[in-house]
């Protein structure tokens, strides 16, 4: 399986490289020479495979970011070529229908290349904006359980706290919690970006502690796969030191307006010894509201048959960069968004942060605000 993954990545990188080289060659067409064409093709493939080798050999820290970043650049080059080709075809269709001659070939060629630059830069700017400027998605659900007054639950999954997403992002989340008047914040996994190095270097503990102190019922979290890649203990300790209540295969009961609400948290399935959901539910009174934090949405079908009122998940990032969102949708029962299934309500967030590189296209950094109401008697 591991070899199949690496072979797939290698083949994709070569295909991306060929497409990017062809696109750059088109852009340079008015000035191209045989020598320049050779340089373009050689440079693209040397960069691609050089970064791949450095990443596999782990020559420097976070080398995967360089491969991901270069792949994103090539992806945007290809998307630019597709957009410009589509607009060019549309232009000639309109010209042919109205009988106009259009621009001269040289003028049109230069305008198309100028448009390509604008599209390429636009994709970069928009993707950065989508990664760093979150949107609040509002949802109201009703459950058939006792709940005298609505409970306002904020959900921020997949923060991936690290060098590219840290203090500023936590402080922004604190402001969002204050403005939305959330009762609690749930963070279903991937809180850290693999380790606590940046968290400690930039003293994020104080900012996270302030976030926790600003919520009436506090912050509750489970660990995701990126929290379990060899640094589970320091990550868990760092979160607890900041007053985050960790639910690692555990349950916790809060009182909301005199009524009990149960929070159930699971380890990500990267943890092979994790407790089954049904065993965790045996510890709670399921006649009262039950909210589950489960990093991956892979068990939604099973959970829809259990007395769970609300499940919040993340992990998928909604693909993060188009067209991966279509893949996420195809391989998951619910890859992103909200759906009422069976006995419960299910929310899969695209995440508040991002993985690897700070770009989102076809997805958005987000926080969910879920207003849960129940029976008044």
């Amino acid at each position: 399986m591991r070899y199949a993954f690496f072979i797939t990545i290698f083949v994709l990188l070569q295909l991306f490289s060929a497409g990017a080289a062809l696109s750059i060659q088109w852009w340079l067409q008015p000035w191209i020479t045989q020598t320049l064409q050779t340089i373009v093709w050689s440079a693209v493939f040397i960069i691609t495979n050089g970064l791949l080798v450095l990443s596999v050999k782990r020559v420097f820290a976070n080398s995967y970011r360089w491969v991901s970043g270069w792949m994103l650049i090539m992806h945007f080059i290809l998307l630019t070529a597709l957009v410009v080709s589509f607009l060019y075809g549309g232009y000639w269709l309109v010209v042919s229908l109205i009988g106009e001659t259009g621009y001269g070939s040289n003028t049109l060629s230069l305008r198309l290349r100028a448009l390509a630059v604008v599209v390429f830069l636009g994709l970069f700017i928009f993707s950065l904006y989508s990664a760093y400027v979150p949107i609040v998605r509002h949802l109201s659900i009703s459950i058939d359980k006792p709940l005298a007054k609505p409970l306002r639950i904020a959900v921020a999954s997949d923060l991936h706290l690290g060098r590219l997403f840290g203090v500023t992002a936590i402080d922004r989340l604190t402001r969002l919690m204050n403005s939305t008047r959330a009762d609690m914040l749930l963070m279903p996994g991937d809180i850290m970006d693999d380790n606590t190095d940046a968290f400690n270097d930039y003293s994020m503990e104080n900012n996270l502690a302030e976030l926790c102190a600003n919520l009436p019922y506090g912050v509750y979290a489970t660990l995701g796969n990126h929290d379990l890649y060899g640094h589970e203990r320091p990550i868990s300790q760092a979160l607890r030191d900041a007053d985050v209540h960790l639910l690692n295969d555990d349950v916790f009961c809060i009182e909301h307006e005199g009524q009990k609400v149960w929070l159930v948290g699971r380890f990500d399935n990267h943890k092979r010894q994790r407790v089954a959901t049904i065993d965790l539910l045996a510890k709670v009174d399921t006649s009262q509201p039950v909210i589950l934090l489960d990093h991956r949405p892979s068990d939604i079908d099973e959970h829809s048959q259990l007395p769970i009122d609300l499940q919040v998940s993340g992990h998928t990032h909604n693909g993060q960069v188009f067209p991966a969102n279509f893949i996420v949708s195809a391989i998951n029962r619910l890859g992103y968004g909200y759906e009422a299934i069976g006995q419960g309500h299910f929310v899969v967030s695209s995440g508040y942060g991002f993985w690897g590189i700070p770009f989102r296209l076809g997805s958005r950094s987000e926080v969910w605000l879920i207003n849960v109401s129940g029976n008044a008697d």
Side-chain angles (χ1 to χ4, degrees), residues 273-287:
Q273 301 83 15
R274 71 172 179 168
V275 178
T277 306
I278 195 167
D279 293 332
L280 290 173
L281 290 176
K283 301 178 181 180
V284 311
D285 183 351
T286 56
S287 68

Side-chain angles (χ1 to χ4, degrees), residues 36 51-53 56 77 107 118 147 154 162 193 243 248 250-251 260 265 279 296 299 325 330 342 349:
L36 183 56
L51 288 174
L52 184 60
V53 170
V56 171
I77 290 173
T107 302
V118 172
L147 201 60
D193 203 20
D243 292 330
N248 294 336
D250 202 1
V251 304
K260 291 182 178 180
D279 293 332
R296 302 189 198 219
D299 293 331
N325 47 326
S349 174

Side-chain angles (χ1 to χ4, degrees), residues 5 26 77 87 147 170 184 203 265 331 351:
F5 173 77
W26 167 82
I77 290 173
L87 293 175
L147 201 60
I170 297 172
M184 69 172 73
S203 303
I331 64 177

Side-chain angles (χ1 to χ4, degrees), residues 94-372:
V94 171
V95 167
S96 64
L97 288 175
I98 65 176
E100 295 288 341
T101 56
Y103 297 107
S105 59
N106 289 336
T107 302
L108 181 59
S109 175
L110 291 174
R111 291 193 177 198
L112 284 173
R113 282 157 179 79
L115 176 62
V117 173
V118 172
V119 171
F120 182 79
L121 293 176
L123 286 171
F124 257 85
I125 293 169
F126 179 72
S127 298
L128 274 170
Y129 175 84
S130 296
Y132 278 113
V133 181
I135 188 171
V136 178
R137 304 200 186 277
H138 295 265
L139 173 67
S140 293
I141 64 172
S142 180
I143 63 175
D144 190 21
K145 298 277 185 72
L147 201 60
K149 292 186 178 180
L151 178 64
R152 295 170 66 83
I153 300 172
V155 180
S157 73
D158 302 274
L159 277 73
H160 289 273
L161 294 175
R163 300 193 182 280
L164 300 179
F165 197 81
V167 169
T168 301
I170 297 172
D171 291 343
R172 183 189 299 115
L173 187 55
T174 301
R175 292 193 296 271
L176 284 173
M177 294 301 97
N178 290 335
S179 64
T180 57
R181 302 192 309 277
D183 293 315
M184 69 172 73
L185 173 64
L186 306 182
M187 299 194 299
D190 282 0
I191 317 300
M192 303 282 183
D193 203 20
D194 297 344
N195 56 55
T196 59
D197 293 350
F199 187 84
N200 294 329
D201 290 346
Y202 293 100
S203 303
M204 297 183 204
E205 180 184 326
N206 295 332
N207 305 81
L208 190 55
E210 182 181 351
L211 170 64
C212 295
N214 271 270
L215 287 143
Y217 298 141
V219 177
Y220 300 84
T222 53
L223 298 186
N225 51 303
H226 282 270
D227 303 312
L228 298 171
Y229 291 154
H231 296 271
E232 176 188 338
R233 288 186 178 180
I235 288 174
S236 296
Q237 190 58 53
L239 293 173
R240 290 192 179 101
D241 288 345
D243 292 330
V244 174
H245 192 123
L246 272 183
L247 295 170
N248 294 336
D249 282 346
D250 202 1
V251 304
F252 187 77
C253 184
I254 67 167
E255 276 207 7
H256 174 61
E257 301 294 339
Q259 292 179 310
K260 291 182 178 180
V261 177
W262 291 91
L263 302 176
V264 180
R266 301 187 75 197
F267 274 117
D268 176 75
N269 68 10
H270 185 77
K271 187 90 167 180
R272 295 181 180 179
Q273 301 83 15
R274 71 172 179 168
V275 178
T277 306
I278 195 167
D279 293 332
L280 290 173
L281 290 176
K283 301 178 181 180
V284 311
D285 183 351
T286 56
S287 68
Q288 298 163 340
V290 177
I291 300 167
L292 172 68
L293 291 78
D294 196 2
H295 179 57
R296 302 189 198 219
S298 51
D299 293 331
I300 282 180
D301 279 331
E302 174 191 337
H303 292 168
S304 67
Q305 305 303 313
L306 299 175
I308 296 168
D309 300 294
L310 171 65
Q311 174 179 325
V312 295
S313 299
H315 182 68
T316 68
H317 292 223
N318 193 19
Q320 188 160 322
V321 177
F322 169 87
N325 47 326
F326 291 107
I327 299 173
V328 163
S329 179
I331 64 177
N332 290 281
R333 170 64 180 82
L334 178 63
Y336 170 70
Y338 161 76
E339 189 174 349
I341 308 171
Q343 299 185 46
H345 300 267
F346 297 85
V347 171
V348 181
S349 174
S350 69
Y352 180 63
F354 48 80
W355 178 81
I357 49 178
F359 294 94
R360 283 181 173 271
L361 184 64
S363 68
R364 183 74 183 270
S365 170
E366 66 182 21
V367 173
W368 284 75
L369 184 65
I370 307 171
N371 196 67
V372 183

